[in-house]
Amino acid sequence: MQMDPVLVESAVVFAMVISVHMAVWNQLSWCCIALAVQAFYVQHKWDRLLRTGAAVFQFRPSANSGVLPASMVMPLLGLALRGRCVIVGNVYMERFAMVVTVIGMMLALFLSLIALGITRPVPTNTCVIAGIASSAILYTVKQTLTVSEVIEVLEVLLIFVYVSLILLYLLPRCFTPGEALLILGGISFIINQLIKRSLVSSGNANSDPLPYFLPVAVLGLVLLGIFFAVLFVFMESETWSASLFFHTMTVVLGLGLLIPWLSLLTQHHPVTWLMHFITESSTRLWLIGFWASLLLLAIAVVMHQNSHRSGGSKKHQASTTVRKYFHLLTVLTFAPGLALDRPLLHLSAVVCLSALLFLEFVRYFRIRPLGPPLRCLLTLFLDERDSGPLILTHIYLLLGVALPIWLSPGTCTPKGGLGGAGGLVPYAGVLAVGVGDTVASIFGSSVGEIRWPGTKKTFEGTATSVFAQIIAVVVFLIADSSINLNASYSWVVGSITMVAMLEAYTSQIDNLLLPLYLYILLLL
């Protein structure tokens, strides 16, 4: 009898939920367990909708819905962050973390409501379970949050509805329902926070401008993409005139909206602040030079692979090993930055994300002069997950290693840094994606023989992944003096093992899912 990989994936997620519950242990952690139970049942309804083609939008094929693992990320993240804030006594961030948890629950319940609403015949048992879980969660929210916090939750939910309607229509087959929940929910939360901070205050000259760059960049890129996606429905995008208009409007958006908005939020001129920030130390200049050399190396790899494509072999694809070169380059990029200058790495990751998304717009819209060459070059590195109009796997790779840095709980960090396994929190992306996923893929495809039941992944790949991540932890301990695991070695090994098992059984975007779960477990 063949084992269902979805059941094993769900078992691993439940193990992580229980681990968080045992570490935090409050009314919201009980709600997370109830949410996980109802998400497990609703996930099967979504899977059936995808198989029969009855889903409202076109989702990514060859994958299950992924509702359970995606539904638990934001609630568990809020619980883990709240635990850290309670330790240091930061009441404001403690309330913020509770809002994050509730927002994650509400978004997951909304996705469940959609599935139950369009499933025919009506799944009575699942509706009863979802109703009980929803009632428990809503009652707890009523007892926990203030009126202003409930309004903030509703604001994010409203933004999520509109963003989902627009982007899922414009980008068919790019996401599974779970990936849409995770990505579009995150975008909605960022947009709401940016609007809230813009309306509440005009900034503080003594505050750190660094956290504002990511939300402003995300909002600008979303607006740019939606505007041109609608515009190019009515006009040809491949002409030089359309390309000139695209570049002109991009400059107008940047100089006319984003830079003034950053100035308003930070009370600093962004360009002046950036120049001072970059030249503040020689280490930053050295790191930028090192990263520039790695960028040239990545371009050389792409061009070298393209040279192997002859005129009659348009179906030539880069091997798995070649694609993992970019994972290795990511490790070489982020590891020195984490050890030497995390603020610079934070800002550089925002710049890289903006550049990659902008180039993807150029490729998708065929904007001259780079659009046609990019379409040719990037098709070499496609895999089965790039089934929609956008190529997103390389962007997910960057997000996977950068999110633990962007989400670093700075205001909830003690003066001596996070103790125990928390010291490895910024390294979660490098460990899970840069080291673990790379080693699992290379060793599993080359020497793996014993396959996990129901999947193409191998036991050898998973075992070497865990072993490689443990070695990487030792290297980070030697290179970064701020890490002090104390007596948490067993927790670190257990967390790495659970995430490696999730990698073996999930059909979701592992570059995005694995670092977030490892981040949550290490933050506990």
Side-chain angles (χ1 to χ4, degrees), residues 360-372:
E360 181 57 24
F361 291 157
V362 169
R363 185 205 66 84
Y364 173 62
F365 294 126
R366 297 180 175 89
I367 302 298
R368 295 177 181 271
L370 295 178

Side-chain angles (χ1 to χ4, degrees), residues 306-315:
N306 187 64
S307 66
H308 289 174
R309 177 193 287 181
S310 61
S313 59
K314 294 184 179 181
K315 294 184 179 181

Side-chain angles (χ1 to χ4, degrees), residues 281-292:
S281 68
S282 58
T283 303
R284 289 179 175 173
L285 297 175
W286 179 87
L287 277 173
I288 292 173
F290 176 67
W291 292 337

Side-chain angles (χ1 to χ4, degrees), residues 21 57 64 67 93 143 146 178 192 220 236 245 286 301 306 340 376 383 420 423 431 463 486 508:
H21 173 67
F57 296 99
N64 67 305
V67 170
M93 286 301 297
Q143 301 297 319
T146 64
N192 181 71
E236 180 62 46
F245 180 70
W286 179 87
V301 171
N306 187 64
L340 298 176
C376 179
D383 60 18
L431 286 171
N486 298 324
Q508 306 304 297

Side-chain angles (χ1 to χ4, degrees), residues 67-271:
V67 170
L68 174 59
S71 296
M72 302 314 301
V73 169
M74 191 176 288
L76 296 182
L77 178 62
L79 285 178
L81 179 60
R82 181 175 183 269
R84 287 291 178 178
C85 296
V86 169
I87 293 174
V88 300
N90 191 329
V91 179
Y92 173 79
M93 286 301 297
E94 180 185 344
R95 301 298 304 182
F96 175 78
M98 293 172 63
V99 172
V100 171
T101 300
V102 174
I103 287 174
M105 292 179 180
M106 293 298 106
L107 293 178
L109 290 177
F110 177 75
L111 190 67
S112 301
L113 183 63
I114 292 176
L116 297 178
I118 61 179
T119 300
R120 294 292 181 272
V122 177
T124 306
N125 294 337
T126 304
C127 287
V128 171
I129 294 173
I132 295 173
S134 302
S135 301
I137 292 171
L138 292 174
Y139 177 78
T140 304
V141 169
K142 178 179 179 295
Q143 301 297 319
T144 304
L145 299 188
T146 64
V147 174
S148 61
E149 290 169 342
V150 171
I151 292 175
E152 184 175 353
V153 172
L154 295 177
E155 289 171 350
V156 175
L157 187 58
L158 181 63
I159 295 173
F160 175 76
V161 171
Y162 284 106
V163 169
S164 299
L165 289 174
I166 295 171
L167 294 185
L168 290 179
Y169 174 76
L170 294 176
L171 304 174
R173 303 181 307 279
C174 281
F175 313 106
T176 64
E179 292 163 2
L181 172 65
L182 193 58
I183 297 167
L184 303 184
I187 292 175
S188 303
F189 179 78
I190 289 174
I191 293 175
N192 181 71
Q193 287 298 306
L194 182 60
I195 296 174
K196 176 184 174 182
R197 294 185 185 186
S198 301
L199 295 177
V200 170
S201 68
S202 58
N204 184 353
N206 296 322
S207 64
D208 184 12
L210 194 60
Y212 292 100
F213 280 84
L214 177 63
V216 171
V218 168
L219 180 59
L221 289 164
V222 170
L223 292 176
L224 184 70
I226 293 176
F227 174 77
F228 281 104
V230 174
L231 179 65
F232 288 143
V233 171
F234 304 100
M235 63 180 294
E236 180 62 46
S237 64
E238 299 182 39
T239 62
W240 278 104
S241 59
S243 299
L244 179 61
F245 180 70
F246 175 87
H247 293 301
T248 302
M249 288 303 299
T250 301
V251 173
V252 169
L253 177 66
L255 298 180
L257 177 63
L258 301 187
I259 289 183
W261 202 340
L262 274 173
S263 299
L264 174 67
L265 291 169
T266 64
Q267 296 297 296
H268 296 84
H269 192 281
V271 177

